[in-house]
């Protein structure tokens, strides 16, 4: 079963480590989660466009390359608001993780 | 420029090499220099030496210092073997070039229905991924991987078209 992580949350977690373009972000999300989070063409691009519309990421076009049929890559980067959102998300996840640990340690001492 | 095998091969005493060796070396040089820029990984760098027979070294690549080191092996070949190697390499370049061109043109049609940004990003990334799959020597089943990538790209592009059209009908914007 895939972990219930939304594409937007996964993208924020990946983008906080540096800018990237669609294909690269799919690969990085997969590598960082040891294959647990699987972003794909169907969910990554709409999520990136949504994040941009919400002002959490900004994008720009790089030089066209021949292997892309002369099309440019579109790179994405977190805005200041995006960085805040990504950090909040990290803290929230860490908090949840702490709660789960506390629960299990209580269970163990019972 | 240090890249390529010609300058190296001339240093190895090509003027004294037999005529047939020079002829084959020229053919290989032609194939190597004619390859499309996008297919740089299809034919690795080729070094040819004329000794007792023709010695071919494949897969040479420059390291950080700009010196060449050898990733694969050197091997003595007869002129016939080399000719067939050259023919194979040419066919491979043509086949892969043709496959990529077909994929590109198939995406072009559906791309007409989408805005430039989606075209550039989604079709561009799909083509780049296909290029990587086709040129990855460790890819276990290239044909299946390519087919799957084309089908999934077509599916998602068609989905984008449908959502955009339905959003336009309902008077809303689609992402």
């Amino acid at each position: 079963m895939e972990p219930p992580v939304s594409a937007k949350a996964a993208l924020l977690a990946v983008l906080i480590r540096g800018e990237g373009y669609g294909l690269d972000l799919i690969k990085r999300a997969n590598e960082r989660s040891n294959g647990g989070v699987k972003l794909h063409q169907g969910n990554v691009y709409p999520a990136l466009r949504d994040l941009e519309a919400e002002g959490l990421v900004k994008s720009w076009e790089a030089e066209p390359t021949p292997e892309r049929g002369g099309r440019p890559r579109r790179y994405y980067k977190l805005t200041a608001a995006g960085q805040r959102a990504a950090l909040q998300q990290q803290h929230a996840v860490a908090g949840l993780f702490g709660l789960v640990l506390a629960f299990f340690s209580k269970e163990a001492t019972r | 420029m240090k890249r390529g095998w010609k300058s190296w091969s001339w240093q190895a005493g090509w003027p004294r090499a037999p005529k047939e060796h020079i002829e084959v070396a020229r053919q290989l040089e032609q194939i190597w220099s004619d390859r499309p820029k996008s297919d740089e990984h299809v034919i690795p760098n080729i070094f040819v030496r004329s000794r007792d027979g023709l010695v071919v070294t494949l897969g040479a690549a420059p390291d950080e210092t700009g010196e060449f080191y050898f990733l694969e092996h050197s091997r003595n070949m007869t002129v016939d073997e080399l000719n067939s190697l050259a023919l194979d390499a040419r066919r491979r370049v043509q086949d892969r070039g043709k496959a990529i061109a077909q994929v590109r043109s198939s995406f072009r049609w559906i791309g007409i229905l989408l805005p430039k940004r989606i075209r550039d990003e989604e079709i561009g990334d799909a083509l780049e991924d296909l290029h990587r799959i086709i040129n990855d020597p460790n890819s276990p089943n290239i044909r299946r991987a390519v087919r799957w990538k084309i089908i999934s790209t077509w599916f998602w592009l068609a989905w984008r078209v449908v959502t955009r059209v339905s959003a336009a009908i309902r008077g809303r914007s689609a992402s």
Side-chain angles (χ1 to χ4, degrees):
Chain A
M1 198 181 98
E2 281 185 38
V5 177
S6 78
K8 283 188 193 177
L11 285 168
L12 285 178
V14 172
L15 281 167
I16 203 167
R17 306 220 161 207
E19 64 192 43
Y21 64 102
L23 206 58
D24 168 52
L25 296 172
I26 292 173
K27 204 172 137 206
R28 274 163 51 190
N30 190 270
E31 280 170 3
R32 277 207 62 204
S33 62
N34 290 322
V37 174
K38 286 193 178 83
L39 293 180
H40 52 83
Q41 198 174 355
N43 59 13
V44 78
Y45 303 111
L48 283 168
R49 286 191 278 273
D50 284 350
L51 286 171
E52 195 173 10
E54 289 163 21
L56 299 178
V57 302
K58 58 182 172 188
S59 72
W60 69 96
E61 281 185 355
E63 287 295 300
T65 58
E67 65 265 27
R68 297 173 65 86
R71 292 181 168 86
R73 275 182 185 160
R74 181 171 283 275
Y75 279 87
Y76 291 87
K77 185 183 177 178
L78 288 180
T79 59
Q83 280 178 351
R84 275 196 301 275
L87 285 173
Q88 273 170 6
Q89 179 181 280
Q90 269 189 349
H91 288 146
V93 170
L96 273 176
F97 190 63
L99 274 179
V100 172
L101 274 183
F103 172 78
F104 280 112
S105 58
K106 218 182 264 177
E107 286 289 304
T109 52
R110 225 179 240 184
Chain B
M1 202 168 78
K2 200 155 188 185
R3 193 174 184 198
W5 50 271
K6 193 183 169 190
S7 57
W8 191 91
S9 58
W10 283 115
Q11 284 165 19
W14 274 93
R16 292 189 302 279
K19 239 184 194 169
E20 53 180 5
H21 289 191
I22 292 174
E23 181 51 38
V24 174
R26 288 217 166 108
Q27 281 180 28
L28 280 170
E29 183 196 16
Q30 193 60 40
I31 293 169
W32 196 84
S33 61
D34 281 355
R35 68 194 172 154
K37 215 175 160 42
S38 57
D39 289 335
E40 277 186 357
H41 304 293
V42 177
I43 307 180
N45 291 341
I46 303 169
F47 287 79
V48 186
R49 281 178 289 171
S50 172
R51 286 199 176 157
D52 304 334
L54 277 163
V55 181
V56 177
T57 305
L58 294 173
D63 63 11
E64 319 79 64
T65 61
E67 294 297 316
F68 283 103
Y69 65 96
F70 301 108
L71 299 174
E72 289 183 20
H73 57 278
S74 287
R75 145 167 200 214
N76 264 306
M77 286 185 178
T78 64
V79 173
D80 284 345
E81 279 176 322
L82 246 173
N83 266 325
S84 100
L85 177 89
L87 203 71
D88 257 15
R90 191 185 287 278
R91 200 176 297 140
R92 216 166 42 236
V93 170
Q94 283 171 348
D95 284 354
R96 291 180 182 195
K98 221 183 275 174
I100 289 177
Q102 277 173 356
V103 172
R104 270 183 200 163
S105 68
S106 78
F107 287 153
R108 196 177 301 139
W109 288 109
I110 196 159
I112 290 171
L113 302 164
L114 290 164
K116 185 181 176 300
R117 176 169 171 173
I118 297 182
R119 270 202 316 260
D120 283 349
E121 187 165 33
E122 302 206 15
I123 299 180
D125 277 7
L127 285 173
E128 189 176 329
D129 206 20
L130 279 166
H131 192 265
R132 184 192 55 75
I133 294 167
I134 287 172
N135 292 310
D136 181 5
N138 300 319
S139 206
N141 192 338
I142 292 178
R143 195 168 289 185
R144 195 161 61 178
V146 167
R147 204 172 294 159
W148 176 244
K149 184 72 197 169
I150 292 170
I151 290 170
S152 64
T153 303
W154 257 95
F155 173 79
W156 287 115
L157 291 175
W159 180 251
R160 302 270 181 270
V161 172
V162 170
T163 50
R164 287 189 72 78
V165 170
S166 63
I169 291 167
R170 281 179 287 150
R172 277 190 286 172
S173 68
S175 61

